[in-house]
Structure formats: structure tokens, C-alpha cells
Amino acid sequence: MLAEFLYCLNLKKKEKFILRYAIILSVMIIIGFLLPIFSYDAFSSSVLFLSLFIITIPLLKFCYDESWVNILFCSLASYTTQHLAYEASNLMTSLIRWGESPMVGIYNNSSNNIFTFDTYFILWFLVYIICYVSIYLITYFLFAKKINRGEDMRVKNISLLFLIGCGLLTNIILNMISVYNDTNAVSNVVDCIYNCLCCVLLLYGQFSLLHNKELENELSFVKKLWGQDKQHYELSRENIDLINIKCHDMKHQIRQIGKNKSISEEAIKEIESSISLYDSVIKTGNQVLDVVLTEKSLYCAKNHISLTYMADVTKLDIMNEVDIYALFGNALDNAIEATAVLPDHSKKEIRVFVEVTEPQMIVSVTN
């Protein structure tokens, strides 16, 4: 229950959580006393422990507002962690007594004499507690802490998760067989090391599935953003081309008006100067960067922001067009957002600097 509490620590709790958890702890203690021990053998003990594990799953659902899949995922990791802590304590006590571990004696009902509160009992108890605390803390920071509230723990590779569950069950059953059969000191130590390694691999495999799912979700999100940036880039390029055509047409019309009507030359120059602002297509040598800078310069001009640039684009072609658009577009959007709130127009400045310094290329956007 303590291991399950650690793995469920970040899950969404239901109302009156403390009361609910006190109830399930009481229920588990009562069940632990009432469940009969039919015999001291590997099969009976395995069924007993598995039954206790299954009972905890609906009890956790009673406390946490999470899906059954999330509860089962955390429960499986908790059982693996608990078994790892047990094997670690068994290994340590076996090394101290060279195979004569009281951990084994508890389960086969042959070491009631350990509860004599002598020096040996105190030593065994300290080793037991230190191993459990150490394993629980290590697994919490390595695995349990990575579980987020409301996270969907459904993994695509169900067959692999099923195999991990079977691996844990097999590990526990084989351990019970080892416990209830007389083994020498070397065999007991080897069994403990083997079981510890199995538990570590099972935990790593289980959380690797969760990590792979996160990576798949991130990749899907990046692909979606990539598609939006590509669409935005195409639309922006079309709009700028259209603006340029209109500006050229307006210039021509103004000159015709100047020839046929009595409009002063000075007035015509002023009109042309105003329109030229929107006819200034930036030429850096990279078509995508030209589109971005031209698009942002139009917005900056409208909002009294000075946009200057100095770009060495000789190495910019190694990047994908959409990536160039996303990189410079996002950087300039951030700079514009920060600069637009300034009340003093003279301080509204944005500088774009691109320089190639082999083997690197430096991009600096300063506001």
C-alpha cells in the first residue's frame, strides 16, 4: 500500500481523500488478518499475495479520480517495486548471515524465534527498513515522479505491457518456489540478485512504454504545427505577392493622375513615399526569409516599430523552408509582442542579425 501511495502521489484525488485512504488501509489490514493460510507452499503463497494485490486495485479507484488503466498501471509498478524492496532486504540479510535470511523464514513459518527483540532482531529490522526506504525513494525519483496528474497511461503496445505483467508474476512465483525449497547460501544469494535485476528491468520496460507514448504524442503535435506553419507560409507569400502587384498598379495610376490633373509634384512624391513602404520587398538572398521579414516589416511599420536586419544567408539553405519560416516567424512575433507595449516610439526597435561562423550559424533577434 505504501508503494502504491508513492506511485499514485501525483494522481487526481477524490474528495475526502484522507478519510477514503484511512478506510482502504483499514480494509486491507482486516483482509490481511482474515485471509486464511491454507498451507505453507509456493502455490498457496503466490495465490495469497496475488489476491491481496488484486483487492488493492478497486480500493485505489475508490480514492483516486483516475481511469482504471491508470490505476492498473500504477498498481503494477507498485507491486514490482515492493518485490524489489523485499528481494533487496533478503539479499542484504543473506549476505550478512551468508544465506540464512530471516526473510525466508517468515514465509515458511520456520523462524518465529526472530521476534525475540535481541541484537540480531534489531539488526535484521534495521536492514529491512533501510532497504525498503532506499528502494522506495530511488524508484520514486526514477519512475513514480514521472507520472503526471490526468495523464493517459494507455500504451499502444498492450502485448508488451502484458508480458511485463506476466514477467512480474513469474518472478514472484519462482521466488516462492525458491523460498519453500531448501537451498544453500550461494543459491539464495544468486536468486536474490536475479530477482532484483528482473524487477529493475520490468520497471524500466514499463516506463519505457510510457515514455515512448509521450514521444509519439510530441511527434504528432510537432507534425501538426509543421503543417500549420507550412500553410501559413504559403498564405503569407501569396498575400505579399498580391500586395506588391497592387502597389505597382497604384504607383502607375498616381503618375497618370499627375500628368493629367493639377496635382503638385511634391504631393505626388509624398503619396509615392507612403505607398513605397508597402512596396519594399526585402531581398536577403533567401526567399523564405524575405517573406518573413517583409511580412513582419509591414506590421512593424503600421505599429511604429523600427525593424532592421543584417543577414548572411549563405548557409541558411541547409534548413527546411518551413523550419526557417517557423524559427524566424516565432522569434519576431515574440520581439514584436514585447516591443509593441512600449509607450515611447523611439524605443521600439527590433534588430535581426544572421552570421555564419564556421561550423556554426548565429541567429540573433534583439528587441
Side-chain angles (χ1 to χ4, degrees), residues 83-104:
H83 191 64
L84 174 60
Y86 159 74
E87 290 295 345
S89 59
N90 192 8
L91 174 62
M92 293 303 298
T93 52
S94 295
L95 290 175
I96 294 173
R97 299 271 298 186
W98 191 235
E100 297 179 12
S101 173
M103 298 294 296
V104 176

Short mmCIF file of all heavy atoms in Angstrom, two decimals, residues 83-104:
data_model
loop_
_atom_site.label_atom_id
_atom_site.label_comp_id
_atom_site.label_asym_id
_atom_site.label_seq_id
_atom_site.Cartn_x
_atom_site.Cartn_y
_atom_site.Cartn_z
N HIS A 83 8.26 -5.83 -4.52
CA HIS A 83 9.01 -7.09 -4.64
C HIS A 83 10.51 -6.83 -4.73
O HIS A 83 11.32 -7.58 -4.18
CB HIS A 83 8.53 -7.86 -5.86
CG HIS A 83 9.03 -9.26 -5.92
ND1 HIS A 83 8.70 -10.22 -4.99
CD2 HIS A 83 9.86 -9.88 -6.81
CE1 HIS A 83 9.30 -11.35 -5.28
NE2 HIS A 83 10.02 -11.18 -6.38
N LEU A 84 10.88 -5.74 -5.41
CA LEU A 84 12.29 -5.36 -5.49
C LEU A 84 12.84 -5.03 -4.11
O LEU A 84 13.96 -5.44 -3.76
CB LEU A 84 12.44 -4.15 -6.42
CG LEU A 84 13.84 -3.52 -6.52
CD1 LEU A 84 14.86 -4.54 -7.04
CD2 LEU A 84 13.81 -2.28 -7.42
N ALA A 85 12.06 -4.29 -3.31
CA ALA A 85 12.50 -3.94 -1.96
C ALA A 85 12.63 -5.19 -1.09
O ALA A 85 13.59 -5.32 -0.30
CB ALA A 85 11.52 -2.96 -1.32
N TYR A 86 11.68 -6.11 -1.23
CA TYR A 86 11.76 -7.36 -0.47
C TYR A 86 13.01 -8.15 -0.84
O TYR A 86 13.73 -8.66 0.04
CB TYR A 86 10.50 -8.20 -0.74
CG TYR A 86 10.69 -9.67 -0.43
CD1 TYR A 86 10.74 -10.13 0.88
CD2 TYR A 86 10.83 -10.59 -1.47
CE1 TYR A 86 10.93 -11.47 1.16
CE2 TYR A 86 11.02 -11.94 -1.20
CZ TYR A 86 11.07 -12.37 0.11
OH TYR A 86 11.26 -13.70 0.38
N GLU A 87 13.29 -8.26 -2.14
CA GLU A 87 14.45 -9.02 -2.58
C GLU A 87 15.75 -8.34 -2.15
O GLU A 87 16.74 -9.01 -1.82
CB GLU A 87 14.43 -9.18 -4.11
CG GLU A 87 13.34 -10.11 -4.62
CD GLU A 87 13.54 -11.55 -4.18
OE1 GLU A 87 14.66 -11.88 -3.71
OE2 GLU A 87 12.59 -12.34 -4.27
N ALA A 88 15.75 -7.01 -2.15
CA ALA A 88 16.96 -6.28 -1.72
C ALA A 88 17.23 -6.53 -0.24
O ALA A 88 18.38 -6.76 0.17
CB ALA A 88 16.79 -4.79 -2.00
N SER A 89 16.18 -6.49 0.58
CA SER A 89 16.36 -6.76 2.01
C SER A 89 16.75 -8.21 2.25
O SER A 89 17.57 -8.52 3.13
CB SER A 89 15.08 -6.41 2.78
OG SER A 89 13.99 -7.17 2.30
N ASN A 90 16.16 -9.10 1.47
CA ASN A 90 16.51 -10.52 1.57
C ASN A 90 17.98 -10.74 1.19
O ASN A 90 18.70 -11.51 1.84
CB ASN A 90 15.61 -11.34 0.64
CG ASN A 90 15.71 -12.83 0.89
OD1 ASN A 90 16.35 -13.27 1.85
ND2 ASN A 90 15.11 -13.62 0.02
N LEU A 91 18.43 -10.03 0.16
CA LEU A 91 19.82 -10.14 -0.28
C LEU A 91 20.78 -9.64 0.80
O LEU A 91 21.79 -10.30 1.10
CB LEU A 91 20.02 -9.35 -1.57
CG LEU A 91 21.46 -9.25 -2.10
CD1 LEU A 91 22.00 -10.64 -2.43
CD2 LEU A 91 21.51 -8.33 -3.32
N MET A 92 20.45 -8.51 1.40
CA MET A 92 21.34 -7.93 2.40
C MET A 92 21.43 -8.83 3.64
O MET A 92 22.53 -9.07 4.16
CB MET A 92 20.86 -6.53 2.79
CG MET A 92 20.95 -5.50 1.67
SD MET A 92 22.63 -5.33 1.02
CE MET A 92 23.50 -4.75 2.46
N THR A 93 20.29 -9.31 4.11
CA THR A 93 20.32 -10.18 5.29
C THR A 93 20.99 -11.50 4.97
O THR A 93 21.65 -12.11 5.83
CB THR A 93 18.90 -10.43 5.82
OG1 THR A 93 18.05 -10.88 4.74
CG2 THR A 93 18.31 -9.15 6.39
N SER A 94 20.84 -11.97 3.72
CA SER A 94 21.50 -13.21 3.31
C SER A 94 23.01 -13.04 3.27
O SER A 94 23.77 -13.95 3.64
CB SER A 94 20.99 -13.67 1.94
OG SER A 94 19.63 -14.00 1.99
N LEU A 95 23.46 -11.89 2.85
CA LEU A 95 24.90 -11.62 2.81
C LEU A 95 25.47 -11.51 4.22
O LEU A 95 26.59 -11.96 4.49
CB LEU A 95 25.18 -10.34 2.02
CG LEU A 95 24.95 -10.42 0.50
CD1 LEU A 95 25.14 -9.05 -0.14
CD2 LEU A 95 25.89 -11.43 -0.15
N ILE A 96 24.68 -10.90 5.11
CA ILE A 96 25.15 -10.75 6.49
C ILE A 96 25.26 -12.11 7.18
O ILE A 96 26.24 -12.42 7.86
CB ILE A 96 24.21 -9.81 7.28
CG1 ILE A 96 24.30 -8.38 6.71
CG2 ILE A 96 24.56 -9.82 8.77
CD1 ILE A 96 23.29 -7.42 7.30
N ARG A 97 24.25 -12.94 6.97
CA ARG A 97 24.22 -14.26 7.63
C ARG A 97 24.65 -15.38 6.67
O ARG A 97 24.55 -16.54 6.98
CB ARG A 97 22.79 -14.54 8.12
CG ARG A 97 22.28 -13.53 9.16
CD ARG A 97 22.63 -13.95 10.53
NE ARG A 97 22.00 -15.23 10.88
CZ ARG A 97 22.05 -15.77 12.09
NH1 ARG A 97 22.65 -15.13 13.06
NH2 ARG A 97 21.48 -16.92 12.33
N TRP A 98 25.09 -14.99 5.47
CA TRP A 98 25.50 -15.90 4.41
C TRP A 98 24.46 -17.00 4.16
O TRP A 98 24.67 -18.19 4.40
CB TRP A 98 26.86 -16.54 4.70
CG TRP A 98 27.40 -17.27 3.49
CD1 TRP A 98 27.79 -18.57 3.42
CD2 TRP A 98 27.57 -16.72 2.19
NE1 TRP A 98 28.20 -18.88 2.14
CE2 TRP A 98 28.08 -17.76 1.36
CE3 TRP A 98 27.34 -15.46 1.62
CZ2 TRP A 98 28.36 -17.58 0.01
CZ3 TRP A 98 27.62 -15.28 0.28
CH2 TRP A 98 28.13 -16.33 -0.52
N GLY A 99 23.35 -16.52 3.64
CA GLY A 99 22.30 -17.43 3.19
C GLY A 99 21.23 -17.70 4.21
O GLY A 99 20.15 -18.18 3.86
N GLU A 100 21.43 -17.40 5.46
CA GLU A 100 20.43 -17.68 6.49
C GLU A 100 19.58 -16.43 6.71
O GLU A 100 19.67 -15.75 7.72
CB GLU A 100 21.11 -18.10 7.79
CG GLU A 100 21.90 -19.38 7.67
CD GLU A 100 22.57 -19.75 8.97
OE1 GLU A 100 22.23 -19.14 10.01
OE2 GLU A 100 23.43 -20.65 8.96
N SER A 101 18.75 -16.12 5.74
CA SER A 101 17.93 -14.90 5.81
C SER A 101 16.65 -15.15 6.59
O SER A 101 15.91 -16.09 6.28
CB SER A 101 17.59 -14.41 4.41
OG SER A 101 16.67 -13.35 4.47
N PRO A 102 16.36 -14.34 7.59
CA PRO A 102 15.08 -14.47 8.31
C PRO A 102 13.88 -14.12 7.43
O PRO A 102 12.76 -14.49 7.74
CB PRO A 102 15.22 -13.48 9.48
CG PRO A 102 16.22 -12.48 9.00
CD PRO A 102 17.18 -13.24 8.13
N MET A 103 14.12 -13.41 6.33
CA MET A 103 13.04 -13.08 5.41
C MET A 103 12.40 -14.35 4.87
O MET A 103 11.18 -14.44 4.71
CB MET A 103 13.57 -12.24 4.25
CG MET A 103 14.15 -10.90 4.65
SD MET A 103 12.90 -9.79 5.32
CE MET A 103 11.86 -9.59 3.89
N VAL A 104 13.25 -15.35 4.57
CA VAL A 104 12.74 -16.62 4.07
C VAL A 104 11.98 -17.36 5.16
O VAL A 104 10.91 -17.93 4.94
CB VAL A 104 13.90 -17.49 3.54
CG1 VAL A 104 13.39 -18.86 3.10
CG2 VAL A 104 14.60 -16.79 2.38
#
